[in-house]
Every structure is written in C-alpha cells, then in structure tokens.
Amino acid sequence: MKRLTIKKLIVISQSESRSLEVPFENGLNIILGGNKTGKSSIIKSIFTTLGCECKSVEADWKKLISSYLLFFNYGEKQLCIVRQGKKFQIFEYSGDACSCVIETEAFHEYSNCLMDILEINMPCISKDGKQFNVTPPLLFRFQYIDQDDGWSKIADSFNNVGYIKDWKPNTNKYVCGYLDDTYYKLQAQKAEQTLIKDDKKKELNYNQNFVSRISSTLMQIEDMQSVDEVTTNIESLLAKTEELRKVQFSYNAEMTVLENDIYVNQHKLHTVEHSLVETQKDIEYAMSQGDELVCPICGTIYSNGLDNQLNITSDYAHCEKLIEELKNSISVFIGKLEELKEKNKAVSLEIQSNEQQIKNSQELLSYSSFYKNKGQYEIYESCKTQLEAIQREIDSYVSKIALIDEKINEQKSKERSKNIREDIEGYCRTLADAINLPKTFIQLRDFVQIINRTGSETPRLVYMYQSALYLYNLRRAYSPFNFYVVDTPNQQGQDANNLESIFKSLELFLSDEGQVIVGTERETGLEEKAGNVIQLSEKRRCLNDFNYSTHLELLEKLQKVAIEWVAINHKAKTNE
C-alpha cells in the first residue's frame, strides 16, 4: 500500500453560483474560524465526498452544495472523486490529461473500485448475507473525530456502517494491522486452494465409481461361461418368460370374470335389500289395519285377513334368505379374486426377474465383446493410474492448505497480538503525557481504548487513542491510514484545559510523512509551524464567487470525460 494525501477540496453551489477551494499540504493543516464560519462543514465535506455519511451535517449546507470534488494522491497516482447526490465518479490524472475510472450511483460498486485503487482487500458481509469489499466509512472511521458526535465515542462519526456484520471488531483488527491485507490474501488463497481440492475430490469420486463399475463387469466377464452358453441361457429365459406371460393372461381373464360376477351379485344384493325394506314397511302397515286394507296411494281396498298377512311375512323371510345367499356368493368370489391376484403378482415378479437376467446377460455379452474384441482393458488400467494421480494432487492441495493455515495462525498469534497492543499502548502513553491524562486510564480491548470515564476525561480518551493510532500507523507502514482529521469541539461549554492540552499535543503531528487536518475556533499556537493555515472569517459566507467560473469549467470538463467513458462502456457491453 501507499500513502494517501489529500491535495484539495472544491465544493460548488450552482444554485448560488458560488464555490470554495480549500488546499491541503503534508504535515499539519489548520482550518481556523469562529463558530458558524463553515470549518466543520468543509471538514465533513472531505468525508462526504469519500462516501462517508457523517451523523450530523447542517441541512442548509447539504441543500446548498451540488457538487463535491476531492483531489488526492495515492502514491504516484493523482486522483479525483466527484460526488453529486448519489452519483460517484473517480478520475485519474496524468499530467494535464485525465481519464474516468468509474461513474455509478451504486455505492458498493464505487466503493469496490476505490478499494481496488487503494489496494485494500478486506471482505465484508452485510447482515443479509451479501459480500463486498470494505467501505470508506469503515476504512476511515478511526481517522476522523467529528465536532458534534466524535468526542463521546471512538471512531463513531459515520452513519452508513450498521448494516455490515461485525463491522467494529473486524475493522478494529484491520486498521491496526493485526488482520491486515496479508491475512485476507492468505484467506483468499486458502479459499482458492480449497475450491480446487474439492473439485479434484469430485473428479476422484466420479472416476472411482467408473472404475468400480468396470471392475465389477470385468470380474463377471472373467467368470462368465462361453458365449454360446450365455446365449442359450438367454433363449431359455425368453421361452420361460413367454409361458409366464400366457399364464398371466389366463389369470387376468379369470379375474375379469370374477370381478363381473361380483358386480352382478352386488347389484342383485342391493335390489333385494331395497325390496326387504319395502316388505318390512308393508308388514307394519298391514298389521296396523283391520280386515280390509285401503291402499294409501290408489285407494284400492284389499282383504287383510290372517292368510294375507302370512303371505307378506313369507315374502320377507324369502328376501332375508336370498340376501344371505348373495353375500356368501360375493364372499367366495372375492376370495377367489384375491387368490388370483397373489398368483398374478408372483408371475409378474418372476417375469421381471427373468427380464433383468436377460438384460444383464445381454450387457455382459456386449461388454465382453467391447473389452475382449477391442482391447479396452487398457482403458481400465489407464483409469486406475489416473485415480492415483488425482489422489496425489489432492494430497498436494491438502499440504498447501495446511501451510496456508500455519501462516494464518502466525498472523493471529498471541505474540503478534501482544506486540501490536504494546506498540499502540506506547503511543497512547505519549499522547497521555501530552494532554495530561493519567496513563492508568489506558486500557485496550480488541486493540481499541475502552471508554469507561465520564466528564472531560471522555473526549481526552477519544483524542488520545485515535491520535495514538494515527501515529502508530504512520510509523507502521505506508497506507491510506496516514491522514487524520480532528474537528475540535466548540469552545462554548468545553473544558479550556482540554483544548489547551489538545493544541500542545499538535507538536506530535508536524511530520510531513503524514497529514493532519485540524479545525478549530481559536489559534493553536502552532500556526507558524503548520504546513498550511486556512483562515475563515465571515459567518455563513465561506463560499464565494472568486473562482466559481473556473470551478464550474473544471466540473464540466470532468463530466465530458465521464460521458465519453459511459458511452464506451455501454458500447462494449452491447457488443458482448
């Protein structure tokens, strides 16, 4: 990685035809201005352009600014980010010429592009399972203390981070270098090697199954009788199967007759049962009448003597006997049908068995011809050799993964964790001395200072830790973490001793190796030593029309470059 240095910020208000350009230098930059002169809005605009949504931005400023342009260097690269609402553009300069790297309204598309430029690779996962590279508000969260929200909690000045799973512990470990790019590169290598190994395992399993099938077939071929005997056996099975089919046909015919008899008798039974019910009604009606019986339907008069009543009773008894006979017949037919079904099932199973034997024998003859007549035993031997080669490859990948795991474990070693923590604590002690904070207050958990104090000690702990982390990273490596922005609290209601201590500690940030931007309402005493001092005086009038035309012309030039880039990319995608 390389150092990230902010060169200048331009904000444009097209609604008011005004703009502002703020240059920055290496070392200490001081933005000096009273309350409501715009210094905090300027500072927040740096991070707004990068894609970090500050928790507190004046509504008037958000409404006023239509375009943000942030120029910065990353190593030898000269870059510019333009933000307009949700749209992000990144440009790269080469002398006076510039080219568009990306234009998008998709935040993660922009973010991934920026991280590629910064050579950052820290995979993140959203709470709904989506994967992407680390985002600017996560990457830069330790590099900003916001005037409004940054002095009560460590690295908690941005809004658009909460949707990312484990965002605090992961970035804590990344920014301090414990789980750095080396760790994530090793994890990526492990994932790649594991994927290849798993593919090789699938290939091995497929080939093992293939060899197993061939091996089984070859054993059958070796034990197989002569081709003539196998052919004779097939013919015998075919003849038996044909006889069985005739038996099966006979059974099916008998079952059809029985099913028809059952149906006829069930119909007779239903008719007789209905007649029995009607006879019962006649008997009950006759018994309730006198010697003469009047038909309730037609009015005809019938004799209803004892003989007549006995005849009706005799009809009833005859119906009962007939019902019993029909039920017995149906029961016998059903028994015979079930017996035939069992026999038919047995015949069907025997036919299936014969057909399978015929199929196996035919395949065996085919395999025998294939392997013996065409010399394909070589394929079998070749497959066995290939299995051994694949297994050796798998063993090789297992060894590679084990070596990567060792390196990952080295990255996560307790000794390394202890060394990093001690280094950060050392810088914390330096800052604690500078701001008159007891060293006993220094307590790191997960490489981050614990905020367990109240009153004026809370903002001093926040400042101590984030400043110490900046100095630690400045010494540790060239990285995007080599710039640091502090917006001091308003003087009203603030501890004067706190502000005085902060100003004295700025002596630690004069090195041109890094870049520190401090916003303050009063002079720090280091203005002469600072690399750059921006003086703001007019309340709510930090924008002006001095360079508006130049800034608008620059913006329009960049937009033309972006339009060309979009057109070329659209054409390329259309031709794919």
Side-chain angles (χ1 to χ4, degrees):
M1 290 189 290
K2 307 171 185 69
R3 292 204 192 285
L4 190 158
T5 306
I6 298 171
K7 303 308 291 182
K8 67 180 175 182
L9 169 74
I10 297 174
V11 291
I12 299 172
S13 171
Q14 288 181 271
S15 63
E16 290 199 352
S17 300
R18 297 163 72 85
S19 63
L20 178 69
E21 179 175 328
V22 183
F24 297 100
E25 302 292 340
N26 287 5
L28 181 61
N29 295 260
I30 298 174
I31 302 176
L32 185 60
N35 192 24
K36 301 297 181 182
T37 56
K39 66 180 185 306
S40 293
S41 295
I42 291 169
I43 287 172
K44 292 176 195 290
S45 294
I46 295 171
F47 292 97
T48 297
T49 314
L50 287 167
C52 310
E53 306 302 337
C54 299
K55 288 189 173 180
S56 177
V57 180
E58 286 192 13
D60 289 345
W61 181 263
K62 289 176 70 174
K63 186 177 179 180
L64 187 65
I65 304 303
S66 54
S67 302
Y68 301 83
L69 291 78
L70 185 69
F71 294 81
F72 64 98
N73 291 352
Y74 187 67
E76 298 298 319
K77 289 185 176 182
Q78 298 177 328
L79 300 144
C80 173
I81 297 175
V82 176
R83 180 172 184 184
Q84 297 173 310
K86 291 184 178 181
K87 183 173 73 175
F88 290 90
Q89 299 165 325
I90 301 178
F91 300 90
E92 183 173 355
Y93 278 84
S94 177
D96 293 331
C98 77
S99 59
C100 182
V101 180
I102 191 173
E103 175 181 297
T104 180
E105 291 191 3
F107 174 70
H108 282 288
E109 188 177 348
Y110 150 76
S111 174
N112 288 339
C113 179
L114 179 61
M115 294 308 135
D116 287 344
I117 292 170
L118 301 181
E119 303 166 273
I120 298 290
N121 180 28
M122 179 193 158
C124 293
I125 301 175
S126 65
K127 290 178 180 178
D128 60 0
K130 295 178 182 176
Q131 295 188 358
F132 43 84
N133 205 346
V134 65
T135 61
L138 285 181
L139 189 71
F140 299 127
R141 70 187 190 95
F142 287 99
Q143 291 162 253
Y144 176 44
I145 302 180
D146 181 75
Q147 181 189 66
D148 301 305
D149 301 290
W151 292 90
S152 57
K153 292 181 181 180
I154 286 175
D156 194 26
S157 296
F158 303 130
N159 273 326
N160 50 334
V161 293
Y163 67 97
I164 299 172
K165 188 177 180 182
D166 299 327
W167 63 276
K168 282 189 178 181
N170 287 345
T171 49
N172 293 351
K173 294 169 185 174
Y174 184 83
V175 172
C176 73
Y178 176 58
L179 299 183
D180 57 7
D181 283 335
T182 302
Y183 169 80
Y184 286 106
K185 283 177 183 176
L186 288 169
Q187 288 284 22
Q189 289 173 15
K190 180 181 176 181
E192 182 182 359
Q193 298 293 324
T194 301
L195 187 63
I196 296 172
K197 181 201 72 177
D198 291 344
D199 285 342
K200 288 293 177 183
K201 277 191 171 181
K202 290 177 183 176
E203 186 181 350
L204 179 70
N205 290 336
Y206 176 80
N207 280 276
Q208 282 177 332
N209 290 335
F210 179 68
V211 169
S212 177
R213 290 197 303 272
I214 294 177
S215 177
S216 174
T217 302
L218 291 176
M219 288 177 64
Q220 292 178 56
I221 291 171
E222 289 172 359
D223 295 338
M224 190 178 72
Q225 301 165 333
S226 69
V227 173
D228 290 341
E229 289 178 336
V230 173
T231 304
T232 301
N233 185 46
I234 291 173
E235 291 173 350
S236 174
L237 286 169
L238 286 169
K240 288 180 181 179
T241 303
E242 185 61 28
E243 290 300 319
L244 288 170
R245 290 191 189 281
K246 291 178 181 179
V247 172
Q248 188 180 48
F249 180 80
S250 173
Y251 287 157
N252 285 331
E254 289 184 54
M255 285 190 293
T256 301
V257 172
L258 285 169
E259 286 170 349
N260 185 62
D261 289 344
I262 290 168
Y263 174 78
V264 170
N265 279 279
Q266 284 176 335
H267 181 69
K268 288 181 180 179
L269 178 62
H270 175 73
T271 303
V272 174
E273 286 176 337
H274 178 73
S275 177
L276 184 65
V277 171
E278 293 301 316
T279 303
Q280 177 65 32
K281 290 179 181 178
D282 289 345
I283 292 172
E284 291 173 355
Y285 183 71
M287 294 298 291
S288 65
Q289 301 297 311
D291 291 338
E292 290 184 345
L293 186 148
V294 180
C295 177
I297 297 172
C298 63
T300 305
I301 298 173
Y302 296 95
S303 175
N304 190 31
L306 181 59
D307 291 340
N308 301 107
Q309 292 178 357
L310 287 174
N311 286 335
I312 297 173
T313 304
S314 175
D315 290 342
Y316 184 84
H318 179 71
C319 284
E320 284 185 324
K321 183 178 179 182
L322 187 56
I323 286 171
E324 185 178 354
E325 289 174 356
L326 287 169
K327 284 183 176 179
N328 287 337
S329 295
I330 291 170
S331 177
V332 170
F333 291 148
I334 289 174
K336 288 181 179 180
L337 181 62
E338 291 301 321
E339 184 179 341
L340 282 173
K341 283 182 178 180
E342 287 297 320
K343 289 180 179 180
N344 191 54
K345 183 179 178 181
V347 169
S348 295
L349 290 173
E350 192 173 352
I351 289 171
Q352 289 176 15
S353 175
N354 288 350
E355 287 175 340
Q356 187 61 46
Q357 289 181 58
I358 291 166
K359 182 181 177 183
N360 292 343
S361 297
Q362 288 172 336
E363 287 180 353
L364 200 58
L365 286 173
S366 176
Y367 283 133
S368 174
S369 173
F370 179 73
Y371 285 103
K372 288 185 176 180
N373 295 340
K374 297 189 179 181
Q376 297 299 321
Y377 276 99
E378 294 177 6
I379 293 178
Y380 172 67
E381 294 298 330
S382 174
C383 286
K384 285 177 64 179
T385 304
Q386 183 66 16
L387 279 179
E388 295 170 0
I390 294 172
Q391 186 60 59
R392 285 195 298 271
E393 286 187 71
I394 291 171
D395 293 340
S396 171
Y397 285 114
V398 169
S399 299
K400 289 178 183 178
I401 292 167
L403 288 173
I404 294 171
D405 275 331
E406 285 181 15
K407 292 178 181 179
I408 289 172
N409 290 331
E410 286 174 10
Q411 288 283 311
K412 298 173 70 175
S413 71
K414 290 182 179 179
E415 182 67 23
R416 189 164 176 273
S417 171
K418 176 175 172 289
N419 291 337
I420 291 172
R421 187 176 64 254
E422 288 178 352
D423 284 348
I424 296 174
E425 287 173 346
Y427 285 101
C428 284
R429 285 191 290 272
T430 300
L431 264 298
D433 282 337
I435 62 175
N436 301 317
L437 190 68
K439 296 184 183 68
T440 54
F441 287 6
I442 300 171
Q443 290 179 278
L444 302 188
R445 179 189 300 149
D446 206 13
F447 306 105
V448 178
Q449 171 66 37
I450 299 171
I451 303 298
N452 55 3
R453 304 287 168 173
T454 57
S456 64
E457 291 168 349
T458 295
R460 284 197 288 167
L461 278 172
V462 170
Y463 177 77
M464 174 204 74
Y465 174 75
Q466 291 193 218
S467 301
L469 187 63
Y470 162 74
L471 292 173
Y472 162 77
N473 277 322
L474 192 64
R475 187 271 308 168
R476 178 174 69 88
Y478 282 21
S479 73
F481 311 127
N482 297 150
F483 79 94
Y484 178 39
V485 182
V486 179
D487 194 4
T488 59
N490 291 328
Q491 291 188 60
Q492 288 184 333
Q494 293 299 322
D495 188 327
N497 291 330
N498 268 1
L499 291 172
E500 191 67 33
S501 297
I502 289 170
F503 293 153
K504 286 181 180 179
S505 72
L506 295 180
E507 289 272 4
L508 298 169
F509 305 135
L510 296 173
S511 170
D512 286 345
E513 290 293 305
Q515 185 179 48
V516 176
I517 300 169
V518 177
T520 175
E521 290 187 12
R522 68 175 192 177
E523 292 187 355
T524 65
L526 288 173
E527 279 68 24
E528 291 185 4
K529 294 183 180 180
N532 183 32
V533 177
I534 299 101
Q535 183 78 47
L536 303 173
S537 56
E538 295 186 59
K539 287 191 175 183
R540 302 186 182 277
R541 300 290 293 176
C542 63
L543 299 184
N544 56 66
D545 58 5
F546 302 153
N547 296 306
Y548 175 73
S549 296
T550 303
H551 293 156
L552 193 61
E553 184 180 334
L554 171 61
L555 178 62
E556 289 172 352
K557 178 182 176 183
L558 292 173
Q559 296 312 298
K560 286 180 181 178
V561 173
I563 289 169
E564 290 175 4
W565 180 86
V566 170
I568 292 169
N569 274 268
H570 177 72
K571 185 176 180 181
K573 288 179 180 177
T574 303
N575 292 334
E576 285 180 358

